[in-house]
Amino acid sequence: MTIEAPAPTTKPAHPDLPEAMTAAVMYAPGDIRVEQAPVPRPGPGQVLLKVAACGVCGSDIPRMLRNGGYVMPIICGHEFSGWVTELGEGVHGFDIGELVSVPPLIPCRKCEFCAKGAFGLCEDYDYFGSRSDGAYAQYVVSPVGNLLKLPAGIDPRAAAMLDPAAIALHGLWKTDLRAGHRVLVIGAGPIGLFAVQWAKLHGAGQIVAVDLSEEKAAMAREAGATDAVQNVEEARALAGRGFDVVLESAGVPATADMAANLTGPHGHAVFVGIPHAPVTLGKDTFNQFMRLETSLHGSWNSFSAPFPGDEWRTSAQMMTEGKLKWEFMITHELPLSALPDVMQQLGDRSIFSSKVLFLPNKD
């Protein structure tokens, strides 16, 4: 049953909307406190969302434990879905109770790059969880322009995993991926696992995944990899003259060199992982990609026009139709109270994880 959206208002949509909520607030790197905070109120053009699920991105770990946010204190968390709970002034087109996914980049929509639909190059963007409060909380406010309508029947947890799915697709769309191509995916975290599936859906003839973890290599096989190996030597043994398409999602210097080195003649390597140390390409690697005329692509986030892009809409549709698997990646579904300890465990790698989801409103 569709619930009629009320007339635009800044008053609570429900008389029992609380004044306070539970949130995980980062005061400084490593200083994360789960505490009560005021429920934010939507201004003109904004919507209040009740958070359904928020996933841990690999970038959350160094941000929350070492690097900090652009502003602090801040509520982190940018891979999320939620239910529309309150509409700010001037907001139309969404129903109270409607499930939405929320792309994390908030573009200015005014600069020359936004005008071209290149939102990832926005010169004055905002971002959930690092520049503005995110979704490690029971409620979050979003501009209405960041709400993505979803196919009927999609699981709220899947809706919170559209960001890594769209990032993988955005990267692969920068390459010349075609049916029959040989594909290498470096790193078998959620982005890599989605990349394996996208390569399979595009008809790749061979899909090799490489990850140091045997558990993650096994997940890559479940995702559809024809081969899953644990080191560069094993990957090289399968490379022949090199792969047609390589997607690097691990974000470490050694794997960046591996990606460029194992790309074949006129092939494409796309770099999605974010390194936290200087990246050096060896002499042999440099000579290889230069002489084989390979193309190296940077890929940041997942956006295109119309915002947030077909990467997001295609991911949502494929998940809803069951063509893009996601549930097997979830290793943890946790309350917010567990966040400080779990983030530390993720940082020191004392627990195995793939996709960690926090469910702020689950009883």
Side-chain angles (χ1 to χ4, degrees):
M1 177 179 176
T2 301
I3 302 173
E4 286 289 329
T9 177
T10 56
K11 296 179 180 179
H14 304 292
D16 58 350
L17 185 69
E19 295 184 0
M21 66 178 182
T22 302
V25 183
M26 177 176 66
Y27 283 85
D31 182 4
I32 307 164
R33 310 175 199 174
V34 178
E35 60 188 22
Q36 293 296 292
V39 173
R41 300 297 301 279
Q46 296 181 328
V47 172
L48 178 68
L49 301 172
K50 184 176 183 179
V51 177
C54 185
V56 176
C57 173
S59 66
D60 286 333
I61 301 168
R63 177 179 299 115
M64 299 186 76
L65 299 182
R66 298 188 298 275
N67 300 335
Y70 287 88
V71 296
M72 289 183 286
I74 191 170
I75 300 169
C76 294
H78 63 263
E79 296 183 2
F80 67 101
S81 63
W83 296 282
V84 174
T85 302
E86 183 180 357
L87 305 176
E89 181 183 349
V91 174
H92 302 275
F94 289 90
D95 295 329
I96 299 299
E98 182 175 356
L99 178 70
V100 295
S101 185
V102 187
L105 178 82
I106 306 171
C108 73
R109 301 179 188 266
K110 298 176 182 178
C111 70
E112 62 173 307
F113 294 107
C114 284
K116 297 174 184 176
F119 300 102
L121 301 181
C122 176
E123 296 178 322
D124 190 25
Y125 67 89
D126 203 345
Y127 210 94
F128 285 104
S130 60
R131 297 168 185 257
S132 290
D133 279 339
Y136 289 146
Q138 289 184 292
Y139 295 90
V140 63
V141 163
S142 171
V144 68
N146 273 67
L147 305 189
L148 178 68
K149 283 188 171 288
L150 298 169
I154 191 170
D155 190 293
R157 296 170 300 161
M161 295 172 66
L162 289 177
D163 187 35
I167 287 171
L169 187 57
H170 182 75
L172 288 174
W173 276 353
K174 291 180 178 293
T175 74
D176 192 30
L177 177 59
R178 296 197 304 269
H181 270 177
R182 302 173 66 242
V183 176
L184 175 67
V185 175
I186 301 173
I191 292 173
L193 295 173
F194 281 123
V196 167
Q197 294 184 73
W198 286 126
K200 185 175 180 180
L201 287 167
H202 280 76
Q206 181 186 25
I207 307 167
V208 177
V210 57
D211 196 291
L212 292 173
S213 164
E214 173 52 39
E215 293 98 330
K216 290 187 177 181
M219 296 180 84
R221 296 185 194 99
E222 185 172 354
T226 53
D227 301 276
V229 298
Q230 291 178 256
N231 57 61
V232 64
E233 291 78 15
E234 292 177 295
R236 192 181 306 282
L238 296 168
R241 288 205 67 195
F243 293 91
D244 300 300
V245 171
V246 178
L247 183 137
E248 197 290 317
S249 68
V252 297
T255 55
D257 184 90
M258 182 197 307
N261 188 269
L262 295 183
T263 305
H266 288 179
H268 297 259
V270 60
F271 296 83
V272 174
I274 301 173
H276 295 280
V279 174
T280 301
L281 299 184
K283 178 182 177 181
D284 289 344
T285 297
F286 191 92
N287 288 339
Q288 170 104 341
F289 87 74
M290 180 176 66
R291 294 190 63 182
L292 296 183
E293 297 189 349
T294 60
S295 298
L296 308 185
H297 304 267
S299 184
W300 188 72
N301 273 272
S302 56
F303 307 109
S304 61
F307 188 83
D310 285 340
E311 297 92 332
W312 284 75
R313 286 179 280 273
T314 302
S315 296
Q317 191 62 45
M318 289 296 188
M319 283 185 178
T320 305
E321 294 177 4
K323 296 177 181 177
L324 194 65
K325 296 188 293 182
W326 54 273
E327 196 164 7
F328 78 103
M329 301 181 198
I330 300 174
T331 52
H332 299 77
E333 294 185 19
L334 301 167
L336 280 178
S337 59
L339 190 145
D341 288 342
V342 168
M343 202 61 67
Q344 290 289 345
Q345 292 170 335
L346 293 171
D348 61 27
R349 299 179 183 271
S350 60
I351 58 171
F352 170 75
S353 69
S354 182
K355 178 49 66 182
V356 176
L357 291 179
F358 287 97
L359 309 177
N361 285 289
K362 187 174 181 180
D363 296 331

